[in-house]
Amino acid sequence: MFIVFFSTSDVFAAEEIFHSHGIACEIVPTPVTDKAYCGVCLKAGKGTDTGLLGGSEYQIIEEGEYVQVY
């Protein structure tokens, strides 16, 4: 799943939170959607506990729910 934020600083903060809890994730380019987000997001395993992110504003995009642009 992709965890998409509106700011790059939120992406890096979330990555740090997940890594500190032993949750694997990686920073990847944001999938193309109909909304504008920052250029990177977190890719994590399906079912990752996003409750650790507290009050951060984000959207979950499951793989296949986006449009690829070539």
Side-chain angles (χ1 to χ4, degrees), residues 3-5 7-8 11-12 27-31 37-42:
I3 307 169
V4 183
F5 299 87
S7 76
T8 305
V11 174
F12 292 112
I27 295 176
V28 297
T30 300
Y37 300 102
C38 70
V40 293
C41 68
L42 286 182

Side-chain angles (χ1 to χ4, degrees), residues 13-30:
E15 178 192 37
E16 187 173 315
I17 290 168
F18 283 156
H19 284 171
S20 72
H21 285 86
I23 298 171
C25 66
E26 64 179 315
I27 295 176
V28 297
T30 300

